[in-house]
Amino acid sequence: MDDTLRRQVEQRTATTLRERRLKNSLPKPRSVNDVALERLAEKDLEGIAPKTGYPDLDEIIKGFIPGHLYTLTGNENVGKTSLACNFAVRIARQGKSVLYFALEPENTVVDYIASVRTDKRFDEITPEDIQEDDGNIHIFGKEEVGNLKDLVQIVDLSERYDLVIIDHIGYFVSGTTNLVQEQSNAIKQLAGLAKRKKTAIMMIAHLRKRPQGVKKSYVPTSDDISGSGAFKQDSTEVMIVVRELQDDTADGLIYSNQGKLHVTKTKAGPNGFINIQFAEQKANIQSLGELLKRRNDRLESGSPNFEKINVEKFDDIDEKW
């Protein structure tokens, strides 16, 4: 065999080997039955998901589903930590467990929890209120969690919690090299942790600063979350707290007690929103659906002088209730 022919044979052989190795390395497609079994397993997890405590929100996201990664965001001081503590308390009341990484509020998180439990103003909370403990909420602060690796290891090696709250995810992103890539890697780690541990994880994130010239009444979207697009891509659900402004012309943001929680992405069904009501100097946040359920439950139990109603906003309750 002459040199030219030999080189041609060697080249064809090498090409065939590369193609074979490449083909063997490709992922194999799954059958419809394989995917169906995976989906049925997910539905089983939906069945054991703790409720959010807000009936109207549960209709949209079906509770906090094990294996799902939730993003909760909103403008500065809009009430994200208050809402997270409302979720924690309402889940604890179901006898479910919550692990709260209080990285931004630190030990003041117990003030929020006490205010939700007692429906008291912050200045009315007693030491006994703060010390009340049903054993269902566990808390880590900055002292115990120095980085994301610590958090992942803690969750991996701990008992399974029904909801893990990270307040907030920005604590783990230094931004010294590549903010977007660092943030994306962190979110992917948390998404994998939620699936591996079969727990629901909710991370609190900040929105980008509002550009000059944008109306203060502008309703933010998932694209306004500060940093990486991974929040929208890798989160199973994205929830945005939007609160009405008392004065659109004020230099600062002066919020009213009326607001909405928008669900801009969910795997459980169509997007939507619920009406929520804040209280002055309290952490307790109520939803319209929660108030209606409480009222109509009283009607079902035979309480007199109550007429079952369907309303669309809190003002209707004030008028009819």
Side-chain angles (χ1 to χ4, degrees):
M1 181 182 299
D2 61 34
D3 290 342
T4 302
L5 183 57
R6 186 178 67 255
R7 283 195 296 270
Q8 290 176 348
V9 170
E10 289 174 349
Q11 187 176 7
R12 283 198 297 269
T13 302
T15 301
T16 302
L17 288 173
R18 282 197 301 270
E19 290 176 348
R20 189 177 301 165
R21 282 196 295 268
L22 178 61
K23 184 176 181 180
N24 290 336
S25 68
L26 291 174
K28 301 294 189 294
R30 292 179 295 165
S31 68
V32 170
N33 186 59
D34 290 337
V35 178
L37 290 173
E38 180 182 310
R39 181 65 187 122
L40 289 172
E42 284 184 351
K43 284 185 172 291
D44 289 339
L45 292 175
E46 291 175 12
I48 65 170
K51 300 301 182 185
T52 67
Y54 297 105
D56 32 2
L57 180 59
D58 288 322
E59 289 182 5
I60 301 174
I61 67 173
K62 314 305 180 190
F64 286 112
I65 302 170
H68 282 209
L69 179 63
Y70 299 78
T71 292
L72 175 64
T73 188
N75 286 322
E76 186 178 3
N77 296 323
V78 77
K80 298 184 290 294
T81 293
S82 290
L83 187 55
C85 288
N86 275 267
F87 288 140
V89 170
R90 282 160 170 76
I91 288 175
R93 285 173 179 163
Q94 301 169 49
K96 304 288 187 177
S97 59
V98 179
L99 182 59
Y100 201 118
F101 289 94
L103 306 173
E104 188 170 70
E106 298 190 84
N107 61 9
T108 62
V109 72
V110 296
D111 295 352
Y112 288 87
I113 291 171
S115 180
V116 175
R117 282 175 169 163
T118 63
D119 195 30
K120 290 182 180 179
R121 292 169 55 98
F122 289 113
D123 57 9
E124 297 172 338
I125 295 171
T126 66
E128 290 75 21
D129 294 330
I130 292 177
Q131 289 179 297
E132 181 185 343
D133 188 359
D134 60 12
N136 291 327
I137 301 176
H138 297 163
I139 301 169
F140 278 101
K142 289 180 180 178
E143 297 80 7
E144 300 90 5
V145 187
N147 51 53
L148 184 62
K149 182 180 178 181
D150 291 343
L151 184 148
V152 171
Q153 187 174 46
I154 287 169
V155 176
D156 259 331
L157 299 179
S158 298
E159 61 187 88
R160 177 191 167 274
Y161 287 88
D162 294 286
L163 177 64
V164 175
I165 299 173
I166 304 171
D167 188 0
H168 63 95
I169 186 61
Y171 175 75
F172 296 117
V173 182
S174 65
T176 54
T177 53
N178 187 326
L179 171 65
V180 172
Q181 188 60 50
E182 192 175 355
Q183 199 173 63
S184 177
N185 291 340
I187 294 168
K188 289 182 186 301
Q189 284 188 62
L190 293 174
L193 177 63
K195 290 182 179 179
R196 183 168 68 250
K197 196 68 178 179
K198 289 185 170 53
T199 186
I201 296 179
M202 185 177 74
M203 52 184 176
I204 295 178
H206 292 322
L207 290 175
R208 294 190 184 95
K209 287 189 177 181
R210 196 188 307 265
Q212 289 186 350
V214 175
K215 291 184 178 180
K216 291 181 179 178
S217 57
Y218 168 74
V219 177
T221 70
S222 302
D223 294 326
D224 295 310
I225 303 176
S226 178
S228 170
F231 282 110
K232 184 167 66 173
Q233 295 165 4
D234 295 320
S235 296
T236 320
E237 278 77 15
V238 176
M239 298 180 288
I240 304 177
V241 185
V242 177
R243 200 164 169 181
E244 294 179 10
L245 294 170
Q246 286 185 344
D247 185 357
D248 284 348
T249 63
D251 291 336
L253 293 178
I254 303 175
Y255 295 113
S256 75
N257 289 338
Q258 304 298 319
K260 288 182 171 62
L261 180 63
H262 291 263
V263 179
T264 61
K265 177 187 178 183
T266 176
K267 191 175 181 180
N271 298 341
F273 70 88
I274 65 170
N275 290 291
I276 53 179
Q277 181 166 278
F278 298 80
E280 195 71 30
Q281 295 300 312
K282 293 180 182 179
N284 198 13
I285 300 170
Q286 300 182 89
S287 77
L288 181 62
E290 182 183 27
L291 292 177
L292 287 177
K293 184 178 186 304
R294 189 182 308 154
R295 184 203 180 282
N296 291 333
D297 283 348
R298 293 178 67 180
L299 175 68
E300 296 295 337
S301 66
S303 297
N305 302 322
F306 281 93
E307 176 187 356
K308 195 166 187 176
I309 57 173
N310 292 305
V311 298
E312 295 181 354
K313 57 183 185 297
F314 286 98
D315 290 344
D316 293 341
I317 289 185
D318 294 337
E319 294 171 3
K320 299 181 181 180
W321 196 2

